[in-house]
Amino acid sequence: MERVLVIEDDVQIQNFMIYALENSGFEVEGALNGKDGLSSFIMKGADLILLDLGLPDIDGMDILRRIREKSEVPIIIVSARDQDKEKAMALDDGADDYLTKPFSATELMARIRVALRHYKRMTTHTSTEEDDSVYEYGDLKIDNRAHMVWKKGEDIHLTPLEYQLLLLFIKNPGKVLTYRTILKTIWGEGYGEDTQVLRSVMASTRRKIEENPAKPQYIETEIGVGYRLKEL
Ligand code: CA
């Protein structure tokens, strides 16, 4: 049974999460402050952590960093609606995803599923492996050996940057990727703040892969944070 640690000082929200998780077959432990959350993680461990950023004793960002010093356990941030900057910062500091309050049990379980799947894939694959995979996603087919992309069977020409951008998302379905993460992965260090170059490559990629680039069905915008490839 997988074990989830819920660090959240709002009793109602915590109870809601515990109820939803237990209904889905998880073992759950709740902590109402940062200190209890950290000690529970150190003593008993967890397969996933749900972490509220606004806690009464320790700043959630500090808890995130302290756990990340020791562990790669998936961490999903639970955050208020108007904290885009904080969400992006938490993701850049190693959080796997975030949920914006209020959220449904369905959303909660979907995010948990994605985070656990990523973690398992990360721990079973080494980064040095050659990736000759063929990916199928919606109307798209991406052959990473041939570096070719087809949409509804027609091959579409992507520039090297557009291709790398698409591939990064195809490999991370359901996961939010921050501007900084994308820029660092594709453009390298030093482009960390240049979201304009990313927006422009994203726009041209969408024109090629989306039916209606103004209403993207595949790569969705997470306002103020980054983008997410929709799970199909
Ligand atoms: Ca709180």
Side-chain angles (χ1 to χ4, degrees), residues 157-189:
H157 180 73
L158 297 184
T159 68
L161 282 174
E162 291 164 354
Y163 181 82
Q164 283 184 58
L165 185 65
L166 176 61
L167 188 67
L168 179 63
F169 281 94
I170 292 289
K171 286 179 170 185
N172 291 283
K175 189 172 161 71
V176 62
L177 301 174
T178 63
Y179 300 126
R180 179 181 286 272
T181 300
I182 301 165
L183 285 162
K184 239 171 70 181
T185 309
I186 296 177
W187 280 267
E189 295 286 353

Side-chain angles (χ1 to χ4, degrees), residues 4-8 14 17-18 21 28-32 49-50:
V4 177
L5 172 60
V6 179
I7 309 176
E8 164 68 76
Q14 180 180 114
M17 289 194 276
I18 291 177
L21 285 157
V28 192
E29 169 131 348
L32 289 168
I49 297 173
L50 289 165

Side-chain angles (χ1 to χ4, degrees), residues 8-10 52 54-55 101:
E8 164 68 76
D9 64 319
D10 184 317
D52 176 27
L55 293 166
K101 295 175 190 175

Side-chain angles (χ1 to χ4, degrees), residues 48 50 74 76-77 96-100 103-118 174-176 220 222 228 231:
L48 185 139
L50 289 165
I76 298 176
I77 295 299
D96 293 81
D97 206 342
Y98 63 82
L99 279 157
T100 304
F103 49 84
S104 67
T106 313
E107 271 178 280
L108 173 66
M109 298 321 300
R111 295 297 162 79
I112 287 178
R113 217 177 48 238
V114 168
L116 286 172
R117 202 170 54 226
H118 271 271
K175 189 172 161 71
V176 62
E220 299 176 320
E222 297 274 323
R228 184 195 303 270
E231 267 201 294

